[in-house]
Amino acid sequence: MTSSPQGSNATTVAVLGTGSMGAPIARNLLAAGFPVSVWNRTAARAAPLVNDGARLAPSPADAAKNADVVLTMLTDGAAVQETMSGPGGALQAMRTGSVWIQMATVGLDWITRLIGLAAEHDVELVDAPVSGSDGPAREGKLIVLASGPDQARAKVQAIFDAIGRQTLWLGPTGQGTRMKLVLNNWLVAQVEAVAETVALTQALGLDPHLFPEAIDDAPLGSSYAVAKARAMISGDYTPGFALRLAFKDATLALDAAKELGLRLPLTAALAPRWQQAIADGHPNDDVSSVFTQSAPSSAQSATPPTPVD
C-alpha cells in the first residue's frame, strides 16, 4: 500500500467524523486526489462533502470496507470506541494490516484502550492528534502529532502532508496523545491568562486594545494570544475551538497529571471557572468566551484608580 494519491493505486481513506475538523480534513484529502468515503453520526453533516467528491457511507463499516486507511476525528474516546467496534463499527470491515489513524483527543486511558482494540483486530494504529483549530484545518496547515510503528509512516505521510504544514513523529503509538495533552494544557493556561489580563486592562481604565497591540510581534506575545485577546475585547465568540471541548481537554490533562502524581495548580484553578462559563450558556462558543468569567460588569466605563504617592 502506498500513500501516493496518484493513479489507480491511490490510497483510499475513510474519514469517520465530519465535524468542524473532520470535514475540512476530508476536503483537503479530496483536493489532494485521495478517494474518500465519509461517515458521520448525523449524516446531514457529512452530506455536503459529496459535492466535493466524497462517497457518503451509511455506517462506519461501509465507509471502511474498501479503505486502506481509516481516520477517526471524533469528540472523545467513547465515541471513537463505539464508531470502531460498536454495531456497524469500522473494525469489522477493515482488512488485516490496514491502518487506523486516530486523530481525536482522547487522553491516556483511552489511547491505551484503543491500542489494545487495534491489536485485537490486527490493524496498525497511528496515534496522530493535531494542533490547530478549524481555520488551520481548512487551510491544510495543521501540525500533526504523529506516533506509531515505523512501517506505517510511509503509508500515511502523504495523508498528513495533505492536511498539515508539519508532521512531528514522536515515537511509539500513544506519544502523540501525550504531546497533545501538553499543548492543550499550554493552550488553556494561555487563554485564561489573556482573559484575566484583558479584564485587568479594562479595570485600570485603559483602552483594552492596547494590550494585544503591546504584545503583538513582541517576545511576550503569540499570534494565538493576540487573536484571543481581540476576540474577547470585541465579544466575538464565533467558535474556532469550542469551550466544551477545551474544557474536556483540560480535564484530560488534569487526569493524566493525577495519574502521574503531578500537580497542575494553574489548570486546576481555571477548571471551575470554565465549567461555570459552560453552565452560563457558552458550551459551543469559542474558548475565548471564558472572558465572560473575568470581565467586570462595569469594565467598559471603568476609570483609572487614584495614584498613591
Side-chain angles (χ1 to χ4, degrees):
M1 181 175 63
T2 174
S3 275
S4 171
Q6 304 298 320
S8 61
N9 292 324
T11 298
T12 300
V13 184
V15 177
L16 309 181
T18 57
S20 61
M21 297 294 287
I25 284 172
R27 286 194 175 94
N28 285 327
L29 292 173
L30 288 162
F34 290 94
V36 176
S37 295
V38 294
W39 172 86
N40 196 72
R41 188 179 303 277
T42 303
R45 298 195 69 180
L49 291 162
V50 172
N51 295 329
D52 297 288
R55 181 180 74 87
L56 180 62
S59 69
D62 184 80
K65 64 183 179 182
N66 295 313
D68 301 304
V69 174
V70 171
L71 186 156
T72 49
M73 178 57 90
L74 297 153
T75 303
D76 54 28
V80 175
Q81 182 182 55
E82 175 67 18
T83 298
M84 294 302 290
S85 62
L91 283 167
Q92 70 186 45
M94 291 178 69
R95 298 188 295 268
T96 298
S98 56
V99 178
W100 169 14
I101 300 175
Q102 202 308 101
M103 286 193 156
T105 303
V106 297
L108 296 185
D109 180 55
W110 272 110
I111 195 58
T112 300
R113 296 192 209 182
L114 299 178
I115 289 170
L117 192 60
E120 289 173 15
H121 290 82
D122 201 17
V123 301
E124 293 181 317
L125 179 61
V126 176
D127 172 40
V130 296
S131 178
S133 58
D134 60 338
R138 289 192 298 271
E139 297 165 4
K141 294 182 178 180
L142 296 167
I143 297 175
V144 182
L145 308 173
S147 59
D150 290 342
Q151 67 270 18
R153 291 192 184 190
K155 300 175 184 179
V156 300
Q157 188 60 60
I159 291 172
F160 294 159
D161 291 344
I163 67 174
R165 64 179 177 86
Q166 182 181 12
T167 301
L168 299 176
W169 282 99
L170 301 167
T173 307
Q175 295 297 87
T177 284
R178 288 170 170 81
M179 181 56 74
K180 186 62 186 295
L181 293 177
V182 168
L183 296 185
N184 278 348
N185 191 71
W186 172 235
L187 180 151
V188 299
Q190 196 172 182
V191 169
E192 178 65 23
V194 169
E196 294 181 22
T197 304
V198 170
L200 176 63
T201 306
Q202 292 179 325
L204 289 170
L206 294 167
D207 178 349
H209 293 89
L210 293 173
F211 167 56
E213 184 178 320
I215 65 170
D216 195 10
D217 292 327
L220 285 176
S222 70
S223 58
Y224 187 79
V226 169
K228 293 308 173 188
R230 288 174 174 159
M232 292 172 189
I233 293 164
S234 68
D236 180 4
Y237 303 140
T238 303
F241 184 24
L243 177 58
R244 62 182 175 83
L245 298 178
F247 176 72
K248 178 210 76 174
D249 292 350
T251 301
L252 290 175
L254 288 169
D255 289 345
K258 182 177 180 181
E259 184 177 330
L260 297 166
L262 176 70
R263 293 179 63 249
L264 299 177
L266 288 175
T267 310
L270 67 83
R273 290 162 51 79
W274 289 34
Q275 192 169 27
Q276 186 61 53
I278 291 170
D280 288 347
H282 300 284
N284 296 311
D285 287 339
D286 187 70
V287 65
S288 56
S289 63
V290 299
F291 181 60
T292 59
Q293 297 300 302
S294 295
S297 59
S298 60
Q300 296 297 337
S301 59
T303 57
T306 302
V308 176
D309 293 330

